[in-house]
Amino acid sequence: DAGITQSPRYKITETGRQVTLMCHQTWSHSYMFWYRQDLGHGLRLIYYSAAADITDKGEVPDGYVVSRSKTENFPLTLESATRSQTSVYFCASKDSGTRGIGSQPQHFGDGTRLSIL
Amino acid sequence: GIQVEQSPPDLILQEGANSTLRCNFSDSVNNLQWFHQNPWGQLINLFYIPSGTKQNGRLSATTVATERYSLLYISSSQTTDSGVYFCAVGYSGNTPLVFGKGTRLSVIA
């Protein structure tokens, strides 16, 4: 099916472990984003990517690594998970449009609920 | 950076009532979206509305970009409208969306 899919939907892991959250979109959108959602903070941007092999930090990038070797995939890795990274993670994508990043709507995946014990 | 404020933070409605949610932002934007986060946590696009007025069924939205606010109207509310409504804005250029903290709506039968 067309759209944006995240996997896994739920993940429990332990502190210090590496964990990778996957994001795949079928629209060939140029831009992809990772957000985390925490009570009291709303959604905050972790990293985003304007195209394959181009990534930029968002508001809360520490402790996370991203890569984008293919347009359709944008994995997010926690290299050494900490309890403070327990959160719901959302991936999003958008087309570049003709008037820059701001001129097109973002579309979100269903989220990954990550618990770090 | 840009600030996004939503009001009210919480709202309880009787089924059938109407409501208005507000989003104020601190700078000029060329992207504004309204989302509904349902009780299952999914973020649903409601409107892409950097300016003007749009309607979709019982929902409508108006953005007055020059005055830096947007309004989301919900008419004849239903219990399925419950959830959190987010406003998110983006600058011109290459800046991604900045989200407000949301309005939590509870519609009771």
Side-chain angles (χ1 to χ4, degrees):
Chain A
D1 289 340
I4 183 165
T5 55
Q6 294 183 233
S7 61
R9 290 296 313 279
Y10 304 91
K11 177 75 176 178
I12 300 174
T13 191
E14 297 176 336
T15 55
R17 299 254 182 160
Q18 182 180 83
V19 59
T20 296
L21 310 184
M22 305 301 294
C23 180
H24 175 79
Q25 51 104 357
T26 60
W27 291 304
S28 298
H29 283 169
S30 301
Y31 288 91
M32 296 187 75
F33 308 85
W34 275 107
Y35 295 87
R36 60 178 289 174
Q37 184 177 24
D38 305 288
L39 280 175
H41 291 282
L43 276 86
R44 293 180 292 174
L45 182 68
I46 305 171
Y47 270 96
Y48 69 105
S49 168
D53 298 321
I54 300 174
T55 61
D56 278 296
K57 294 179 180 179
E59 181 184 353
V60 288
D62 293 342
Y64 303 95
V65 175
V66 293
S67 62
R68 194 155 176 221
S69 58
K70 293 184 177 181
T71 299
E72 62 266 29
N73 296 323
F74 191 38
L76 176 74
T77 297
L78 289 66
E79 293 192 304
S80 179
T82 64
R83 289 200 179 96
S84 65
Q85 293 177 308
T86 292
S87 187
V88 180
Y89 291 84
F90 286 97
C91 178
S93 72
K94 69 183 296 179
D95 196 6
S96 59
T98 57
R99 291 180 292 153
I101 186 176
S103 63
Q104 297 294 319
Q106 285 191 23
H107 302 273
F108 281 77
D110 287 343
T112 294
R113 187 175 296 275
L114 177 63
S115 296
I116 300 165
L117 308 178
Chain B
I2 194 167
Q3 304 295 314
V4 183
E5 293 186 2
Q6 292 186 241
S7 59
D10 295 280
L11 185 59
I12 300 175
L13 294 177
Q14 200 74 35
E15 197 170 28
N18 303 328
S19 63
T20 301
L21 282 58
R22 188 176 180 101
C23 172
N24 292 333
F25 43 96
S26 60
D27 207 342
S28 299
V29 300
N30 74 349
N31 183 2
L32 189 146
Q33 290 183 246
W34 283 97
F35 296 90
H36 174 217
Q37 187 167 38
N38 63 24
W40 294 270
Q42 295 171 312
L43 279 164
I44 310 299
N45 269 309
L46 295 177
F47 295 102
Y48 168 71
I49 186 166
S51 64
T53 297
K54 290 187 178 179
Q55 180 153 8
N56 184 3
R58 296 180 296 102
L59 273 60
S60 64
T62 295
T63 297
V64 184
T66 54
E67 297 187 22
R68 300 179 184 171
Y69 74 89
S70 183
L71 302 173
L72 178 68
Y73 305 96
I74 304 174
S75 64
S76 304
S77 58
Q78 301 176 358
T79 55
T80 52
D81 295 331
S82 296
V84 182
Y85 289 81
F86 288 102
C87 167
V89 303
Y91 282 122
S92 59
N94 289 323
T95 307
L97 288 176
V98 176
F99 280 75
K101 294 189 176 181
T103 292
R104 182 174 298 275
L105 175 65
S106 299
V107 181
I108 54 177

